[in-house]
Amino acid sequence: MSKLTAFLVSWQRAFAIAVVIAQAGIAVTGSIVRVTGSGLGCPTWPECVEGSVVPVEHPEVAALHQWVEFGNRTLTGVVGVIAGLCVLAAWFHLPRRRRVLVLSLVQLVGVAVQAVVGGITVLTGLAWYTVSVHFMISMGLVWMAVLLVSSLSEGDGPARLLVPAPLMRLQVVMAAVLGALLLAGTWVTAAGPHAGDASTPRLGVEVETLAQIHADLLFLFLGLLIAVGFLTRTRAYWTLVGVVLAQGALGMVQYWTGVPEVLVSIHVLGAGAVVVATAALWTSSRERTHAVELPEAEDQALSKA
């Protein structure tokens, strides 16, 4: 095993944790682009401005907006590198584990998909529905990144429940409601004051109506969380409770104070934290055996012993 291979394998868990942070973090930097009005700071794609990949002096685009948007695009490359390291570590780890490799590839492919969706978002002038898709893909990748971290300490056998089956069914419903809750949050933003650019059309629905839908879904999620508490009260459960309550309180303060820019980005960070905590509760509710198939040569050697 070469030094590079040994390094990749020994740092595999660190890479997986880093990709969780990176996938959640790039959603936060995306919100910073939005609240600073820098969404079209780089008005073309894949170039920043016509004829240049990097920001240059432009009569119609402020330098600050260019650099904020360009910085977010650059971070996509950083996330891609981390995801690539996850794939390499999974490939060189022997015996090679199919589930770990697949979950790593999901991250790398997801970054590529996000780059394309981001480009479509720019080319459509920050159409609100493309922004929603962009954010929802990020949250899905955060969930899958948590599964990747968990897979490193699991085996490759079938999943075995550690909790009653009704609890897992409740968690499936919770995950679906969480998805709806996150999507409704993007609609609130789409109708609110932070368009990403002054010329961007807004979603033509009253913010109050969308905020009420978002709040109703939060209450439904909290109700399900209470129901889950009758079946399990593990550390993962209480962590999720704390994160959800903090995020709900932040959302109310954000609404009451007129949606200040800094709270928007903190709220996006909180959304990522809720996804991480919900996925962690899911992974802590089942286990996989550590039995793995030995490489053929090693298997034959053991059979002769």
Side-chain angles (χ1 to χ4, degrees):
M1 181 181 291
S2 69
K3 289 184 179 180
L4 177 59
T5 302
F7 167 77
L8 290 170
V9 172
S10 64
W11 281 75
Q12 186 174 23
R13 177 171 293 278
F15 295 147
I17 293 172
V19 86
V20 174
I21 297 170
Q23 294 288 15
I26 199 166
V28 177
T29 62
S31 74
I32 294 173
V33 170
R34 193 176 187 89
V35 298
T36 58
S38 304
L40 295 178
C42 289
T44 63
W45 186 88
E47 295 178 316
C48 180
V49 293
E50 195 68 35
S52 177
V53 175
V54 299
V56 295
E57 187 175 350
H58 195 283
E60 298 178 4
V61 184
L64 175 63
H65 290 170
Q66 284 193 58
W67 282 105
V68 170
E69 167 62 7
F70 180 73
N72 189 59
R73 292 188 183 188
T74 303
L75 282 175
T76 300
V78 174
V79 180
V81 169
I82 297 172
L85 290 171
C86 288
V87 172
L88 290 174
W91 180 262
F92 287 114
H93 185 280
L94 296 177
R96 192 170 295 130
R97 302 179 56 201
R98 182 177 181 275
R99 186 162 182 268
V100 175
L101 182 58
V102 168
L103 287 170
S104 299
L105 284 169
V106 165
Q107 295 300 311
L108 186 59
V109 173
V111 172
V113 170
Q114 280 290 68
V116 174
V117 173
I120 293 172
T121 300
V122 170
L123 296 176
T124 57
L126 306 184
W128 67 267
Y129 48 87
T130 63
V131 176
S132 293
V133 171
H134 204 31
F135 177 76
M136 294 302 293
I137 293 174
S138 281
M139 294 299 100
L141 289 172
V142 170
W143 182 288
M144 297 302 290
V146 174
L147 297 188
L148 173 60
V149 173
S150 177
S151 71
L152 297 178
S153 57
E154 296 176 332
D156 299 305
R160 183 177 71 85
L161 297 185
L162 299 175
V163 297
L167 175 57
M168 297 306 293
R169 289 192 285 271
L170 268 176
Q171 289 192 61
V172 171
V173 177
M174 277 180 60
V177 172
L178 176 59
L181 176 62
L182 293 170
L183 183 59
T186 69
W187 294 344
V188 175
T189 303
H194 303 299
D197 185 81
S199 62
T200 301
R202 314 306 296 125
L203 175 59
V205 180
E206 291 292 331
V207 174
E208 291 77 9
T209 301
L210 294 172
Q212 185 62 57
I213 294 172
H214 188 49
D216 291 343
L217 287 167
L218 173 60
F219 291 135
L220 177 56
F221 188 82
L222 285 170
L224 291 168
L225 193 55
I226 291 171
V228 167
F230 286 103
L231 297 172
T232 183
R233 295 179 185 178
T234 61
R235 178 180 298 179
Y237 171 76
W238 289 116
T239 298
L240 177 57
V241 169
V243 171
V244 171
L245 290 177
Q247 176 72 340
L250 177 61
M252 287 186 289
V253 172
Q254 181 183 10
Y255 182 75
W256 291 334
T257 56
V259 201
E261 289 84 351
V262 66
L263 291 188
V264 172
S265 294
I266 295 175
H267 200 52
V268 170
L269 176 62
V274 171
V275 172
V276 170
T278 307
L281 178 62
W282 173 268
T283 60
S284 69
S285 299
R286 84 285 184 280
E287 67 176 0
R288 295 178 184 271
T289 63
H290 289 274
V292 296
E293 292 185 9
L294 294 171
E296 185 177 349
E298 187 175 345
D299 188 40
Q300 291 176 354
L302 287 176
S303 65
K304 293 177 181 179

